[in-house]
Amino acid sequence: MRRLPAATCVLLWATLVVAQGANTPRGKTVLVPELPTETTLARRNARAQVTDYENDIAPLVGRLGCANLDCHGAPVGRGGLKLSMFGADPSADCDALSRAGGGRRVNRMTPERSLLLLKLSGDLTHGGGTLAPKGSEAYQALLNWIARGTEDRDPAKPLLRSVDTNLPNKVLAAGESFDLKVTAKFSDGTTRDVTAMASFRSSLPGVAKVTPTGTVTAGQPGQSVLVATFRRLSGVTLAIVPQTLAEPFPELTADNPVDKAVNAKLKLLGLPPSPRCGDADFQRRVYLDVIGLLPTPDEARAFAADTAPDKRAKLIDRLLARDEFADFWALKWGDLLRIKSEYPVKIWPKGVQTYYRWVRDSLVANMPYDQFARELLVSSGSSFRSGPANFYRGVNSKDPLSHAEIAALLFMGARVSCARCHGDPYEPWTVDDDAKLAAFFAQVRFKSTGEWKEEVVYLDPDATFRHPITKQVVAPAFLGGEAPTIEPGADPRQVFATWLTAPGNRWFAPNIANRVWFWLLGRGIVEEPDDMRPTNPPSNAALLDALSAELTSHGYDLRHLFRVILNSQTYQRSSTPTPQNKGDQGFFAHYPARRMGAEQLIDAICQITETNETFSSVIPEPYTYLPSTTRAAQVADGSIITPFLELFGRPPRDTPYESDRCSRTSMRQVTHLLNSTSVDNRVLNSPRLKRLLASGKSDDMIIDEYYLSALSRLPSDSERQAVKAHLASHAGDRAAAFQDFLWALLNTKEFVLIH
């Protein structure tokens, strides 16, 4: 008689014991036919339908939320179970559920007695509650997977390539519902309906609420992004709920590509736009947005007196050609490129000046933006002699991962830094994607010279990048794309830059077009402006496409893009909402009023009072003392800070995120403008006010001068009467009365806001 293997004997014995039941007489063996228990049914079902972790269980774990930060996806896990954050590593998660902890979470002999199922079904206490009741599809899928043997991935199954929803957008009336359908596409060309396994979320549930099964119900007017996710790939649908209007939508005409796209979206949403702003508001707005300064009284008078129909277009051209344009936008790029001598980036004062001059000279010369990006990305040389080389110096950690992540953020609007440690919470980017991107920058190296603090950026052609986890050499690959062939001796950064700036790259032109729109209108078409992931789509895709096309068709000329936006009806609309568009969030039915930036505000106060701000730094050596005529917008070094700039949100330049610059108002800011000795002393000792009082000018002339200086307009009759009444009540001290007037003017919302 052939002897059976020991493992088979144990399995047979266990099966017989379970089949016999507790009443079998001691010492007797009774063979009975297998009954259709839950276990055997699961095994039969598992044989009929292959169930593996990656294809069938990972989406379920994602839908149940088990791998989220507040559950087992936390850095230390919960209850001894640690899953990869957001389910980014299905293989590791399969091991954690089926083998870690001595395999105690699954019972392959009696799957329905698995600890995993007992907790999820509510038979045992579970901190997350009952997530998979008995009889549910989730429970049955897990039961099948355990009965089959907790397979990781079935190699016979095709690879998942993409996930789509059945609709790119859906226009709904309030209270109307529809069902999202989610389709997965695989490497063999097949598709599969995965709606039952997908997870859903809505960016604005008040506009469109989505249930766990994908049913969407419209609510208040607006636009919500609906995201359906299966195995960390997502499809997106826009749910649009138009506003009901009492009157027909107004007829709008447009010959500007900006206005064509914006007006079409406003009509779809039922948001009639605000009227065109007045000349004074436009002049003040465009001065602050383009050169960061207020118009002078003489400039305000001249513009008001100009009757030419194209005077706004001519003003825009003049401002784009002024030196102050380069000053103001070098400040903006200084924030993003982290031009700062001290910690944490440590470019040092000499490197700061070299870097800043290169940026400003590029703006003066109107260097095409694709060339600007390429020169930064492929730069080498001395940090004290080559401005672009400081692109690699100006990072907290001079390593390939940091260089790749900053390049992706700046030039693609892709926030891949999360993937350095774990899966991205919104996109399928993983540690592998981050490592492959970093491999383009693996050859960047640094060496010191005989000059104090100087470093030379150079390439080591033999250097490679090793995966932070596997420690294997990583081949470069584009984000979400293929791995290019890089010839021996070629600079991998050049390959990356060529791919990045190629016409049609879905990241490059849209990213900078969105940033420019954000800089000029205070809100991105994609918001936040450096978060360009597919699951954060533009509020108006046609608008972003139009701006990207304008930029690429004109040789990446950023001044041309400025000109197109500034000349649009959209930019020139009033900042005052109408009753019909007051609820607009991100569709630009009116110009979004916002507080001046820190540098704009202090420069405006100094301009009106004819005073100066002091800029100096004693860290690091050599100490820095700027001339007294220096405006805040001309300060190159982010290490030079004043209490005013810090209070009003100047970014520390530690990272390249747009959100580091804070334009929100606070009570501290209000109190500073009202009560600080800094502002009071500028008013009390204003050379301008002293000169005007000594000039013999009338009260009306001085009032006009200050209204034109601060608000670019003359006072209304009621405003003039109010000021003159105050002057009359303080006739014994004319200087003090005008100081009160000037102080009050500097504290109006109309002065502090760009509107």
Side-chain angles (χ1 to χ4, degrees), residues 59-122:
L60 175 60
V61 170
R63 183 171 181 173
L64 297 178
C66 304
N68 289 349
L69 278 173
D70 58 353
C71 199
H72 299 290
V76 295
R78 284 196 176 186
L81 172 60
K82 183 181 184 304
L83 300 175
S84 64
M85 202 173 295
F86 311 114
D89 191 343
S91 182
D93 293 344
C94 178
D95 186 76
L97 290 171
S98 62
R99 288 175 282 279
R104 68 187 181 90
R105 296 183 180 89
V106 297
N107 186 336
R108 294 178 180 83
M109 298 299 302
T110 314
E112 68 271 17
R113 300 303 301 165
S114 297
L115 179 63
L116 176 64
L117 283 174
L118 293 174
K119 288 209 166 194
L120 290 176
S121 66

Side-chain angles (χ1 to χ4, degrees), residues 547-599:
L547 293 176
S548 302
E550 282 290 328
L551 183 62
T552 54
S553 64
H554 286 79
Y556 291 99
D557 181 347
L558 287 181
R559 270 195 179 89
H560 171 76
L561 190 62
F562 274 73
R563 193 173 288 110
V564 169
I565 296 172
L566 295 169
N567 277 292
S568 69
Q569 298 170 9
T570 303
Y571 178 81
Q572 296 185 23
R573 284 181 178 135
S574 170
S575 62
T576 304
T578 68
Q580 292 78 26
N581 68 34
K582 63 182 180 181
D584 174 28
Q585 291 289 333
F587 302 105
F588 309 103
H590 54 80
Y591 179 87
R594 63 196 188 278
R595 178 177 62 75
M596 280 192 242
E599 295 86 353

Side-chain angles (χ1 to χ4, degrees), residues 104 158 164 239 321 491 565 721 736:
R104 68 187 181 90
D164 295 317
D491 183 350
I565 296 172
Q721 291 171 6

Side-chain angles (χ1 to χ4, degrees), residues 410-430:
L410 277 176
F411 301 118
M412 299 167 65
R415 298 179 174 185
V416 297
S417 57
C418 288
R420 177 184 290 219
C421 303
H422 54 75
D424 188 275
Y426 302 110
E427 294 298 324
W429 304 326
T430 64

Side-chain angles (χ1 to χ4, degrees), residues 171 223 240-243 249 263-271:
V171 180
Q223 177 174 282
I240 300 168
V241 184
Q243 179 178 231
F249 193 85
N263 292 349
K265 193 61 177 254
L266 294 179
K267 185 174 182 179
L268 179 62
L269 288 160
L271 290 171

Side-chain angles (χ1 to χ4, degrees), residues 472-487:
Q472 299 298 309
V473 173
V474 178
F478 306 124
L479 187 62
E482 74 284 356
T485 299
I486 301 178
E487 299 296 328

